[in-house]
Amino acid sequence: MAATKPPYAPQFRTEAVRLVKESGKSKSRIAADLGLSYETLRKWVRQAEIDEGQREGLTTDERQELRRLRRENWILREERDILKKAAAFFAQETNRTR
């Protein structure tokens, strides 16, 4: 399995987006200078525009909240399924002892 690169530091992302907005250079040139893929930089700029209210979409905070809620929902479903199985098991055991 290939090793994945660690995520970029938030300060690095912020600085890269600032360079795109203020330098006047193309995204592809800045991406090459920073050692990023064009697509990565494009996504960072797009998300920054959403966070600043310049574009429609989910802000970073909303995405984090959605991710947290989905994770919590998954855990609750797992717990519910376990409890259903346990209840069915104990119901069978109770019927056998009578």
Side-chain angles (χ1 to χ4, degrees):
M1 180 183 255
T4 59
K5 291 176 82 173
Y8 295 97
Q11 299 86 356
F12 180 77
R13 290 178 183 211
T14 303
E15 186 63 21
V17 170
R18 188 189 64 74
L19 281 172
V20 168
K21 291 181 177 183
E22 295 177 0
S23 72
K25 293 181 182 178
S26 69
K27 288 179 197 163
S28 57
R29 181 69 194 152
I30 293 171
D33 290 346
L34 296 175
L36 301 169
S37 71
Y38 171 80
E39 190 62 22
T40 297
L41 185 59
R42 185 191 69 78
K43 287 180 182 179
W44 290 353
V45 170
R46 185 170 193 262
Q47 189 62 50
E49 290 171 351
I50 291 170
D51 290 345
E52 293 167 0
Q54 298 172 355
R55 259 182 195 246
E56 290 290 318
L58 293 176
T59 65
T60 301
D61 291 338
E62 291 169 335
R63 285 183 184 279
Q64 289 173 345
E65 176 72 3
L66 183 59
R67 191 175 304 121
R68 185 190 66 77
L69 291 171
R70 284 181 176 163
R71 189 176 317 123
E72 184 179 324
N73 198 6
W74 181 82
I75 290 169
L76 291 171
R77 282 189 181 128
E78 290 290 314
E79 290 173 350
R80 180 201 62 202
D81 292 344
I82 291 168
L83 290 172
K84 276 184 179 179
K85 290 176 184 177
F89 174 79
F90 287 119
Q92 284 181 344
E93 288 298 312
T94 305
N95 290 336
R96 286 183 194 165
T97 57
R98 289 184 181 178

